[in-house]
Amino acid sequence: MINNFVKPHVVAVPFPALGHTIPLLDFAISLASSGLAITCVTTAANALRLKLQMAHAFSSGLDIRLLVLPTPLVEGLPEGVESFDQVLPEHCGLIYDLVVKLEQPFNHWLEAQVEGMNHPVCIMHDVLLGWTMEVPQKHNITRVVFNTYGAFALTLLRSAWLSASHNALEKEGDSILLSLDLPTPLRLHKHEIDTMLFDPLMLEVIGRLQSLNQGGGMLINTYEQLEPEYLQHLRNLTGKKVWSIGPVLPSTCFGGAAKDSNRGKMVDISEVKLFQWLDSQSSCSVVYISFGSQIFLTEEQSKALASGLEASGQPFIWAIKVSPKFEPRTSDTADLLDRTYLPEGFQERTRNRGLVIWGWAPQLLILSHPSVGAFVSHCGWNSMLESVALGVPLITWPIYADQHFNSKLAIKLGIGIQICQHRDGIPDKERVKDGVTLVLSKEEGKEMKRGAEKLKKMAREAVEFGGSSNVNLQDFAREMYQLHMTKTAAVRGESSKLTYCWINASEAPL
Ligand code: UDP
């Protein structure tokens, strides 16, 4: 049956980890704004979170909907737990099992779409999604990878893996020189790649890069001006389209202060309290601390970090991820968390200059506030990109995976310094204090701020009409329209060589 939809139908399949769903969903919303019909595939518990992020898109009448697949039973995974951030690190494998089990109901749904009127033209799936794509291939549905890692990290990851598998890692004590398939050789500490080479999820990413020539190309949440050399390198390596379409952020982010607080999850602080506090601080004086959606610091790590923060004397906002062990929270939980993760009397001593958020913070609201002058981050790619897009220099503590590479990129770009590393690292009090002081109060920090402001300007230009990311978004949308027209024409028996001409997606026929 032919697709009677006048719009091309794209199916977005995110991986259930907040660092993956958040950007894919924001991009899906941009595509819907460009005139495409979008179905976002998810499970029941994740759907509630996605709806929060989609509230604005729904109310503005965009053609975007959620497909809720039945949640498969996974032994050991409690009901309602369907995302990486809800489990302890040692149980992340269970979420991966859940994802694997979703393939069958997804294929079942897809077959029904092909029979019916909603024939999708493209499956846009997360880079970590290890499903075979036989069903889309069978029905000639294009597959495009959505990448939540940067081009620099992807290139290094691929080089490290290739070098290791060809026994070509050039080791010298604890240091390794990576040079295979890189535009410029890079020296790393062995710990910076060791864990990655054996991480099944990272292997999935590399596999995706290796098999890219079978797919329809790759979308990367980055922008040309941030990593031009590495984007070009990936294009040369794959011979496929590599669309840089970032930074993928809610449109309000670039039109002044960000407004979307519940991005990913409900936040654990009231906006009124947050803004009262931020507004009372002076410009660029506050350091924001967050380790993303997945990392739990140990008691020792968080106490050591707290000591350095206190010694710096600077105002801070610290979003501390709460272990599922402390859920559901009771009236005593805050006290218990305090005693467990912070030095004795810390909250009392820093009462006038510190704000601790136990749980989820509205990160974009915080980073876009003029009082915030630095971000202590694990350098998850989203956090790094958000910091860059909002002009905030980074103080890094990469923990695992691509975070080591992202931290290196921040330093290379002149907008970051590193104060600690690795999952087992214990931050040194003096190093934390000096790092925070340097970025917030020293001339070197002002230079980093100027660099971050330049990148912010470039990020904004990239997503504005005619900017590189906007042009790539339109190019992707146009490709979807062409696939749609070709498919429709083929079913009608018309020539598949239709010339379909329009300037940008907003002018496409609706
Ligand atoms: N985030 C947030 N509030 C928090 C912690 C994280 O909104 O308290 C968001 C952050 O803005 C980013 C994402 O969650 O968009 C985390 O992604 P990232 O790649 O930085 O780290 P990951 O969680 O994947 O390690």
Side-chain angles (χ1 to χ4, degrees), residues 19 22 263 290 292-294 319 359-361 363 378 380-383 386 403:
I22 291 174
R263 190 164 173 255
S290 167
S293 66
Q294 294 180 43
W360 198 247
Q363 182 155 307
H378 69 310
W381 183 242
N382 296 293
S383 291
E386 288 161 12
Q403 296 155 18

Short mmCIF file of all heavy atoms in Angstrom, two decimals, residues 19 22 263 290 292-294 319 359-361 363 378 380-383 386 403, ligand 1:
data_model
loop_
_atom_site.label_atom_id
_atom_site.label_comp_id
_atom_site.label_asym_id
_atom_site.label_seq_id
_atom_site.Cartn_x
_atom_site.Cartn_y
_atom_site.Cartn_z
N GLY A 19 21.64 10.66 28.65
CA GLY A 19 22.60 11.34 27.78
C GLY A 19 22.38 11.00 26.31
O GLY A 19 22.96 11.62 25.41
N ILE A 22 17.99 12.52 25.52
CA ILE A 22 17.79 13.97 25.51
C ILE A 22 18.16 14.58 24.15
O ILE A 22 17.34 15.24 23.52
CB ILE A 22 18.56 14.65 26.68
CG1 ILE A 22 17.92 14.29 28.02
CG2 ILE A 22 18.62 16.17 26.50
CD1 ILE A 22 18.69 14.79 29.25
N ARG A 263 14.13 18.84 31.48
CA ARG A 263 14.69 18.18 30.30
C ARG A 263 15.28 16.85 30.76
O ARG A 263 16.23 16.83 31.52
CB ARG A 263 15.76 19.09 29.71
CG ARG A 263 16.28 18.70 28.36
CD ARG A 263 17.01 19.88 27.77
NE ARG A 263 17.69 19.54 26.53
CZ ARG A 263 18.99 19.37 26.45
NH1 ARG A 263 19.75 19.51 27.51
NH2 ARG A 263 19.55 19.07 25.29
N SER A 290 28.47 19.03 38.19
CA SER A 290 27.56 17.91 37.90
C SER A 290 28.33 16.84 37.14
O SER A 290 29.20 17.16 36.31
CB SER A 290 26.37 18.37 37.06
OG SER A 290 25.70 17.24 36.55
N GLY A 292 26.69 14.44 35.36
CA GLY A 292 25.78 13.85 34.37
C GLY A 292 24.73 12.95 34.97
O GLY A 292 24.44 12.99 36.18
N SER A 293 24.18 12.09 34.12
CA SER A 293 23.02 11.31 34.53
C SER A 293 23.37 9.93 35.07
O SER A 293 22.52 9.25 35.61
CB SER A 293 22.09 11.14 33.32
OG SER A 293 22.73 10.36 32.33
N GLN A 294 24.63 9.51 34.94
CA GLN A 294 24.92 8.12 35.29
C GLN A 294 25.93 7.92 36.41
O GLN A 294 25.97 6.86 37.03
CB GLN A 294 25.46 7.40 34.05
CG GLN A 294 24.44 7.27 32.96
CD GLN A 294 25.02 6.56 31.76
OE1 GLN A 294 25.72 5.58 31.89
NE2 GLN A 294 24.72 7.05 30.59
N ALA A 319 24.98 19.64 41.78
CA ALA A 319 23.91 18.64 41.60
C ALA A 319 24.52 17.27 41.87
O ALA A 319 25.41 16.83 41.14
CB ALA A 319 23.37 18.69 40.17
N GLY A 359 19.97 15.30 43.39
CA GLY A 359 19.20 14.75 42.28
C GLY A 359 19.40 15.52 40.99
O GLY A 359 20.51 15.91 40.64
N TRP A 360 18.29 15.78 40.29
CA TRP A 360 18.33 16.32 38.92
C TRP A 360 18.25 17.83 38.93
O TRP A 360 17.35 18.41 39.55
CB TRP A 360 17.16 15.72 38.14
CG TRP A 360 17.29 15.82 36.65
CD1 TRP A 360 16.49 16.57 35.82
CD2 TRP A 360 18.21 15.13 35.81
NE1 TRP A 360 16.88 16.39 34.52
CE2 TRP A 360 17.93 15.52 34.48
CE3 TRP A 360 19.27 14.25 36.04
CZ2 TRP A 360 18.67 15.03 33.39
CZ3 TRP A 360 19.99 13.77 34.95
CH2 TRP A 360 19.69 14.16 33.65
N ALA A 361 19.18 18.45 38.23
CA ALA A 361 19.21 19.92 38.17
C ALA A 361 18.79 20.39 36.78
O ALA A 361 19.00 19.68 35.81
CB ALA A 361 20.63 20.40 38.44
N GLN A 363 20.00 21.81 34.17
CA GLN A 363 21.38 22.18 33.77
C GLN A 363 21.44 23.35 32.79
O GLN A 363 22.29 24.22 32.92
CB GLN A 363 22.08 20.96 33.16
CG GLN A 363 23.52 21.22 32.76
CD GLN A 363 24.35 19.97 32.75
OE1 GLN A 363 24.41 19.24 33.72
NE2 GLN A 363 25.02 19.72 31.65
N HIS A 378 32.20 15.90 34.28
CA HIS A 378 32.83 14.63 33.88
C HIS A 378 33.10 14.62 32.38
O HIS A 378 33.70 13.70 31.86
CB HIS A 378 31.91 13.47 34.26
CG HIS A 378 30.64 13.40 33.46
ND1 HIS A 378 29.81 14.50 33.28
CD2 HIS A 378 30.05 12.38 32.77
CE1 HIS A 378 28.77 14.13 32.54
NE2 HIS A 378 28.90 12.86 32.22
N GLY A 380 30.85 14.38 29.90
CA GLY A 380 29.94 13.67 29.01
C GLY A 380 29.74 14.61 27.82
O GLY A 380 29.77 15.84 27.99
N TRP A 381 29.57 14.06 26.62
CA TRP A 381 29.57 14.93 25.43
C TRP A 381 28.47 16.00 25.50
O TRP A 381 28.67 17.14 25.10
CB TRP A 381 29.47 14.11 24.16
CG TRP A 381 29.53 14.95 22.92
CD1 TRP A 381 28.57 15.07 21.97
CD2 TRP A 381 30.61 15.80 22.51
NE1 TRP A 381 28.98 15.94 20.99
CE2 TRP A 381 30.22 16.40 21.28
CE3 TRP A 381 31.87 16.11 23.04
CZ2 TRP A 381 31.04 17.31 20.60
CZ3 TRP A 381 32.68 17.02 22.36
CH2 TRP A 381 32.26 17.59 21.15
N ASN A 382 27.29 15.63 26.01
CA ASN A 382 26.21 16.63 26.08
C ASN A 382 26.60 17.78 27.00
O ASN A 382 26.41 18.95 26.67
CB ASN A 382 24.91 16.02 26.58
CG ASN A 382 24.38 14.98 25.64
OD1 ASN A 382 23.98 15.30 24.53
ND2 ASN A 382 24.42 13.72 26.05
N SER A 383 27.12 17.42 28.17
CA SER A 383 27.49 18.47 29.13
C SER A 383 28.56 19.38 28.54
O SER A 383 28.51 20.60 28.65
CB SER A 383 28.00 17.86 30.44
OG SER A 383 26.93 17.23 31.10
N GLU A 386 26.96 21.56 25.87
CA GLU A 386 26.09 22.57 26.48
C GLU A 386 26.93 23.69 27.08
O GLU A 386 26.61 24.88 26.96
CB GLU A 386 25.20 21.91 27.55
CG GLU A 386 24.12 21.03 26.92
CD GLU A 386 23.50 20.00 27.87
OE1 GLU A 386 23.73 20.08 29.10
OE2 GLU A 386 22.78 19.10 27.39
N GLN A 403 34.75 10.36 27.70
CA GLN A 403 34.96 11.56 28.52
C GLN A 403 36.44 12.00 28.55
O GLN A 403 36.73 13.20 28.59
CB GLN A 403 34.44 11.31 29.94
CG GLN A 403 32.94 11.09 29.97
CD GLN A 403 32.47 10.28 31.16
OE1 GLN A 403 33.19 10.15 32.15
NE2 GLN A 403 31.25 9.74 31.09
N1 UDP B 1 21.50 16.74 33.03
C1 UDP B 1 20.55 17.56 33.60
N2 UDP B 1 20.51 17.64 34.95
C2 UDP B 1 21.35 16.97 35.76
C3 UDP B 1 22.32 16.14 35.17
C4 UDP B 1 22.38 16.06 33.79
O1 UDP B 1 19.75 18.19 32.90
O2 UDP B 1 21.25 17.09 36.99
C5 UDP B 1 21.52 16.59 31.56
C6 UDP B 1 22.63 17.39 30.92
O3 UDP B 1 22.19 18.70 30.62
C7 UDP B 1 22.95 16.55 29.68
C8 UDP B 1 22.61 15.12 30.10
O4 UDP B 1 21.77 15.24 31.24
O5 UDP B 1 22.09 16.94 28.63
C9 UDP B 1 23.82 14.32 30.50
O6 UDP B 1 24.51 13.93 29.36
P1 UDP B 1 26.09 13.82 29.33
O7 UDP B 1 26.49 13.36 27.98
O8 UDP B 1 26.72 15.07 29.78
O9 UDP B 1 26.46 12.74 30.43
P2 UDP B 1 25.95 11.25 30.69
O10 UDP B 1 24.80 11.37 31.59
O11 UDP B 1 25.61 10.65 29.37
O12 UDP B 1 27.14 10.64 31.35
#
